[in-house]
């Protein structure tokens, strides 16, 4: 009907069917015939709940299953189960949890950290997956999590100790993640801040209205204005052990180098405490300074080489080496 396939059983559903989170106002007249279900229903909440649509991912377009294309013999639960099976198969191969770290700039708060799942178009939908959420439980060693799926392709998660009175660093993490929702460069999903328990949504984190409003007013991460570096970090296996890879976003070139040096020193200090650390750090720099242009790459690359040599000499002179007595080596590159 209407040019769509007619689905009467689970066998008719393709392996390219995925759940797709959409903003609460998505099912307007344009998409009114699309098959949807609520992500989470809880009476008395005013948050803008996203809906789940069901997307068939084609080479050049994403097509959504319409209500008319589904026979009454096929339930939405069956469609959802098939879509979730496809999602997990895809994300377990293509998506990656990365550590997200930044300095709050507040003495009473300090360092803020959590996880972000990225690397695939459907990463935000991992909030539907018990398998992937259990990975976050394990990595953060926490029974209770805070999760935000602000935009297409990203899911932010950190530990949650109190559902009613989250600690200041959790609030700052939430504000950073929610600010992505108000960034007009991205396809937004929801500013909601969710409680995750046993790999599933268990409710909303209370008292987030002010955080959401603050994120809306700033419409940018709190670290953007003073040149601090937002980054994700992960380890990678190599012949001599485990190296550290850091992806950095720099929004202020004038302040970047000093902040980058401090960031590298922090990870070197963490690395040398691990027996498996090889001493190798890879730094990939994503420059988002409004004044940046590609012609600057050569000069910036030269500055990175000079900085790398300076830091490596400094580490060597101070006797800073790995647990296996290996020298610290830096590999910095611009990825723009």
């Amino acid at each position: 009907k209407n040019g769509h396939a007619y689905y009467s059983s689970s066998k008719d559903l393709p392996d390219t069917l995925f759940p797709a989170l959409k903003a609460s106002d998505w099912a307007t007249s344009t998409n009114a015939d699309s098959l949807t279900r609520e992500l989470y229903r809880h009476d008395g909440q005013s948050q803008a709940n996203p809906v789940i649509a069901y997307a068939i991912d084609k080479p050049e377009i994403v097509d959504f299953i319409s209500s008319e294309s589904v026979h009454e013999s096929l339930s939405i639960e069956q469609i959802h189960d098939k879509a979730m099976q496809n999602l997990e198969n895809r994300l377990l191969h293509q998506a990656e949890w990365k550590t997200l770290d930044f300095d709050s700039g507040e003495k009473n708060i300090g360092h803020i950290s959590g996880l972000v799942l990225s690397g695939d178009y459907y990463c935000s939908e991992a909030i539907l997956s018990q398998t992937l959420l259990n990975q976050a439980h394990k990595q953060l060693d926490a029974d209770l999590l805070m999760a935000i799926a602000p935009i297409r392709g990203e899911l932010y998660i950190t530990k949650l100790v109190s559902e009613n009175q989250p600690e200041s660093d959790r609030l700052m993490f939430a504000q950073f993640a929610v600010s992505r929702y108000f960034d007009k460069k991205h396809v937004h999903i929801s500013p909601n801040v969710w409680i995750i328990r046993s790999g599933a949504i268990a409710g909303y984190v209370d008292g987030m209205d002010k955080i959401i409003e603050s994120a809306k007013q700033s419409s940018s991460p709190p670290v953007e204005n003073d040149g601090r570096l937002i980054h994700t970090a992960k380890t990678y296996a190599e012949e001599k052990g485990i190296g550290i890879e850091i992806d950095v976003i720099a929004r202020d070139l004038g302040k970047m180098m000093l902040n980058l040096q401090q960031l590298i020193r922090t990870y070197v200090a963490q690395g040398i405490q691990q027996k498996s650390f090889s001493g190798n750090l890879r730094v990939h720099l994503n420059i988002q300074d409004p004044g940046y242009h590609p012609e600057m790459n050569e000069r910036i690359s030269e500055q990175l080489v000079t900085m790398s040599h300076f830091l490596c000499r400094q580490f060597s002179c101070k006797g800073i080496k790995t647990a296996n007595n290996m020298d610290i080596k830096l590999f910095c590159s611009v990825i723009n």
Side-chain angles (χ1 to χ4, degrees), residues 104-177:
S104 69
E106 303 290 338
K107 291 182 179 180
N108 60 330
I109 299 176
H111 189 68
I112 296 170
S113 65
L115 299 174
V116 57
L117 185 71
S118 60
D120 188 87
Y121 183 81
Y122 293 100
C123 279
S124 48
E125 282 72 20
I127 198 170
L128 304 169
S129 166
Q130 186 174 36
T131 301
L132 286 147
L133 291 177
N134 280 339
Q135 289 181 347
H137 279 297
K138 184 176 180 180
Q139 288 199 37
L140 294 172
D141 190 24
D143 295 329
L144 208 59
L145 302 173
M146 170 194 289
I148 304 104
I151 62 172
R152 167 69 50 220
E154 294 179 356
L155 178 63
Y156 293 84
I157 290 187
T158 190
K159 292 182 180 181
L160 186 63
V161 178
S162 171
E163 299 179 21
N164 299 317
Q165 293 182 319
E167 296 79 1
S168 297
D169 59 334
R170 270 58 167 186
L171 295 178
M172 289 290 285
F173 182 92
Q175 180 169 328
F176 167 74

Side-chain angles (χ1 to χ4, degrees), residues 169-186:
D169 59 334
R170 270 58 167 186
L171 295 178
M172 289 290 285
F173 182 92
Q175 180 169 328
F176 167 74
V178 172
S179 68
R180 302 284 284 166
Y181 172 81
F182 296 104
D183 189 332
K184 295 180 180 179
K185 296 192 297 292
H186 302 287

Side-chain angles (χ1 to χ4, degrees), residues 247-266:
D247 294 319
V248 177
I249 295 176
R251 292 187 168 92
D252 188 330
L253 286 174
K255 300 176 181 179
M256 177 191 71
M257 286 300 174
L258 181 61
N259 286 281
L260 187 58
Q261 287 185 42
Q262 185 56 47
L263 180 66
I264 290 171
R265 288 191 177 96
T266 298

Side-chain angles (χ1 to χ4, degrees), residues 279-298:
N280 292 339
L281 283 92
R282 299 175 184 170
V283 179
H284 307 298
L285 196 62
N286 180 357
I287 301 173
Q288 297 184 7
D289 188 315
Y292 164 81
H293 52 86
E295 291 78 9
M296 300 169 65
N297 274 6
E298 184 175 354

